[in-house]
Amino acid sequence: MIDHRKKGEAAQRHPEKAHRPDNPIARKPDWIRVRAPNHPTYHETRKLMRDNKLVTVCEEAACPNIGECWSQRHATMMIMGEICTRACAFCNVTTGLPHALDADEPERVADAVAKLGLRHVVITSVDRDDLPDGGAHHFARVIGAIRAAAPDTTIEILTPDFLRKPGSLEVVVRARPDVFNHNLETVPRLYPSIRPGARYYQSMRLLDDVKRMDPSIFTKSGLMLGLGEDRPEILQVMDDLRIADVDFITLGQYLQPTVKHAAVARFVTPEEFADYAGMARVKGFLQVSSSPLTRSSYHADSDFAELRAAREQRLRTERGATEMK
């Protein structure tokens, strides 16, 4: 884990969790194990992130796939700093009062995207409830900078919920990302304990509004499994997402970052993930990624290519059915 704080500053990432009783971290099953990163390209990617003074969710959220992704030059950049205004029970990102926005960040992100030669890039952020627009205009500037520096790169954004930030979503949609991702994270029943600063129906409304504003933008959302949810609840969330015409769903195993975070209720087996993937396809999602190590940006470039192809195939099928009538 990279600690971006200056020497001498307090190193506690989660002061709001310090009073909580410890939740012992369960031993991971064999299917969760990953190798330590040691590929030369991994170190090149890490150096580029440091040279451009960029924060990555790969590091801040302790993603288990960082070795694989960075060895392929795939890094998910986290804009607007490394300090989040929310305190979700599952998340390893630092909680506190964020710093002012860095006006040069969009250009530094765009420069890194161009140097990495990315076909597809994922840009996420911390929650910035302290900003009047929740960071929407900053997202738009980042998208614009990438379009200028790397016009052939497709752009996927993973945004906050812009709760109580009227007009913010419109700003981001007008910037026309290729994929708009906003994760539900868990089922509605668990929001008070797992995602207390968020509201399930606000997140669902956000995804629905993106499609209403610009149907050409792909929408995407994801759930972590293993937090205590049950099968009917997962299937209900899938149905809710399809009502909102969400194109792509990701399902992955929740992994507990520290003893102060929510405990893993159970490790969902690869067979169960495969079963959920089948159910999601039956429900009509264009693309599904469901496995223990699935994360929002894992294999995002190849997934986007498949997503675009799936939409084209569906449109051809619908045109053919119309012509036959």
Side-chain angles (χ1 to χ4, degrees), residues 257-323:
T258 75
V259 295
K260 296 298 183 182
H261 286 77
V264 174
R266 74 185 188 95
F267 290 103
V268 180
T269 66
E271 292 76 19
E272 289 175 274
F273 275 106
D275 178 60
Y276 284 126
M279 293 298 298
R281 291 189 182 95
V282 167
K283 289 177 183 293
F285 288 97
L286 285 175
Q287 180 73 356
V288 180
S289 181
S290 179
S291 75
L293 289 175
T294 289
R295 298 295 182 267
S296 291
S297 54
Y298 189 44
H299 295 163
D301 57 340
S302 57
D303 281 343
F304 177 72
E306 293 177 16
L307 179 63
R308 187 157 50 184
R311 174 186 277 178
E312 291 170 357
Q313 178 59 47
R314 180 174 289 182
L315 290 173
R316 283 195 296 270
T317 301
E318 290 172 354
R319 281 196 297 268
T322 301
E323 289 168 1

Side-chain angles (χ1 to χ4, degrees), residues 243-269:
I243 290 170
D245 200 21
V246 170
D247 301 295
F248 188 173
I249 186 172
T250 61
L251 302 169
Q253 172 69 51
Y254 166 63
L255 298 176
Q256 183 181 347
T258 75
V259 295
K260 296 298 183 182
H261 286 77
V264 174
R266 74 185 188 95
F267 290 103
V268 180
T269 66

